[in-house]
């Protein structure tokens, strides 16, 4: 698969790159970013997938999350996918929480979304195959994290494929989308009216049904302006009921912004580095 280099910049002794390729999953050109720490010069390194939230591209977390410094220290690569297909002929919506920038990491089954919005296949199957082939990364040492919509994606993907993702964490995830307007609206549009199809993409329901074999780290701002949409209490209750190993931390005074993500990024990067070592 042809890979176009858009940019490569030195960062904390490593390289922050941005790349473009033609995606078979989405039928569009897709852009993503990879940070390789300096340790990658000596051989394959563990990798941490970072899934971004509503309205974001690959660039938001790459420039705002402050992850490269800690990834370089830990010898961990970072992969930042886009959040949806884009371009001419790709369906969109005037609302910020549906369409381009709001793929919700699902495979759409309904028109007009189904031809391109196959973000589950893209993030879980196609992009991993591409980056593992193109960069010095260890396929046996993969972790996944994300923010908001990306936290939803990280948790659902990890609990569905625990054999592939040896570590998982999330920042302010959309925790219970089947019971939230950040979920019901999008799942109806992408997946249809059958709520049984929605349950595979609800972290609280998956936690109750199967959990995760390792530890889970969740950070949630206690002053998050979207708490009613995120429904963190549903995930916390599911974790306690299941006696899930890990930590669910309510952080006083923090909102939903990248200032919150930056503040706890070191904790998350080192959490994954310890489990992927």
């Amino acid at each position: 698969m042809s890979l176009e280099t858009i940019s490569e910049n030195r960062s904390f002794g490593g390289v922050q790159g941005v790349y473009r390729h033609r995606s078979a999953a989405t039928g569009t050109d897709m852009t993503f970013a990879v940070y390789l720490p300096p340790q990658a010069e000596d051989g394959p390194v563990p990798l941490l997938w970072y899934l971004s939230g509503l309205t974001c591209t690959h660039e938001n977390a790459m420039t705002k999350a402050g992850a490269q410094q800690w990834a370089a220290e830990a010898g961990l690569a970072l992969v930042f996918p886009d959040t949806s297909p884009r371009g001419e002929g790709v369906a969109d919506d005037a609302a910020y929480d549906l369409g381009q920038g709001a793929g919700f990491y699902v495979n759409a089954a309904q028109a007009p979304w189904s031809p391109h919005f196959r973000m589950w296949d893209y993030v879980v199957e196609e992009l991993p195959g591409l980056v593992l082939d193109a960069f010095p990364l260890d396929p046996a040492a993969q972790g996944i994290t994300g923010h908001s919509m990306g936290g939803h994606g990280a948790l659902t993907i990890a609990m569905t494929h625990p054999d592939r993702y040896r570590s998982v964490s999330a920042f302010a995830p959309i925790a219970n989308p089947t019971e939230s307007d950040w979920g019901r609206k999008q799942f109806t549009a992408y997946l249809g009216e059958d709520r049984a199809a929605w349950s595979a993409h609800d972290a609280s329901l998956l936690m109750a049904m199967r959990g995760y074999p390792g530890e889970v780290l969740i950070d949630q701002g206690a002053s998050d302006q979207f708490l009613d949409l995120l429904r963190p209490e549903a995930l916390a209750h599911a974790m306690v009921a299941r006696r899930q190993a890990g930590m669910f931390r309510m952080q006083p005074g923090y909102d939903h912004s990248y200032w919150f993500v930056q503040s706890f990024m070191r904790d998350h990067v080192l959490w994954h580095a310890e489990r992927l070592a």
Side-chain angles (χ1 to χ4, degrees), residues 199-212:
S199 62
H201 300 284
D202 187 305
S204 296
L205 297 181
L206 289 176
M207 180 60 69
M209 287 188 292
R210 65 180 68 165
Y212 180 74

Side-chain angles (χ1 to χ4, degrees), residues 4-268:
E4 175 190 356
T5 300
I6 297 174
S7 63
E8 289 183 333
N9 299 95
R10 202 71 172 165
S11 176
F12 294 101
V15 176
Q16 177 62 69
V18 178
Y19 309 93
R20 181 185 296 120
H21 72 109
R22 187 70 181 177
S23 167
T26 68
T28 66
D29 289 342
M30 295 292 289
T31 302
F32 66 95
V34 176
Y35 176 71
L36 292 177
Q39 294 87 340
E41 296 178 4
D42 299 322
V45 295
L47 68 150
L48 176 60
W49 294 88
Y50 183 101
L51 305 186
S52 292
L54 290 166
T55 75
C56 291
T57 69
H58 71 279
E59 186 176 15
N60 296 74
M62 180 185 79
T63 59
K64 295 180 180 179
Q68 290 86 349
Q69 176 181 357
W70 311 118
E73 181 180 298
L76 192 67
L78 304 168
V79 183
F80 305 97
D82 202 346
T83 56
S84 77
R86 302 176 190 274
E88 187 176 352
V90 177
D92 201 9
D93 191 273
Y96 73 94
D97 58 356
L98 184 67
Q100 295 186 36
F104 263 76
Y105 305 102
V106 302
N107 287 337
Q110 302 291 310
W113 314 103
S114 54
H116 301 293
F117 281 72
R118 303 193 62 81
M119 290 303 294
W120 182 278
D121 283 353
Y122 178 69
V123 169
V124 175
E125 301 298 340
E126 184 178 25
L127 189 57
L130 176 62
V131 300
L132 290 169
D133 183 60
F135 301 98
L137 305 171
D138 182 356
Q142 299 184 61
I144 191 166
T145 189
H147 173 227
S148 193
M149 179 183 72
H152 138 78
L155 291 168
T156 58
I157 288 170
M159 283 189 278
T160 304
H161 296 282
D163 53 334
R164 183 184 308 180
Y165 301 96
R166 286 172 41 191
S167 58
V168 62
S169 72
F171 300 85
I174 300 175
N176 189 202
T178 61
E179 300 298 332
S180 166
D181 286 342
W182 273 359
R184 287 179 299 205
K185 170 185 176 180
Q186 295 80 6
F187 289 175
T188 300
Y190 296 146
L191 303 176
E193 299 284 352
D194 182 7
R195 290 178 66 94
W198 302 2
S199 62
H201 300 284
D202 187 305
S204 296
L205 297 181
L206 289 176
M207 180 60 69
M209 287 188 292
R210 65 180 68 165
Y212 180 74
E215 296 175 293
V216 176
L217 173 62
I218 309 292
D219 272 309
Q220 171 63 62
S223 296
D224 194 312
Q225 59 271 45
F226 301 114
L227 280 175
D228 289 344
L229 292 166
L230 301 173
R231 291 182 52 81
E233 66 280 2
L235 180 58
H237 291 160
M239 289 177 65
V240 171
R242 190 173 186 84
R243 299 180 182 176
Q244 171 68 48
M247 290 189 288
F248 193 112
R249 309 192 300 191
M250 294 295 293
Q251 301 292 359
Y254 285 90
D255 60 14
H256 199 68
S257 70
Y258 268 99
W259 300 112
F260 157 67
V261 174
Q262 285 180 13
S263 298
F264 301 101
M265 180 56 69
R266 178 182 182 274
D267 290 359
H268 284 247

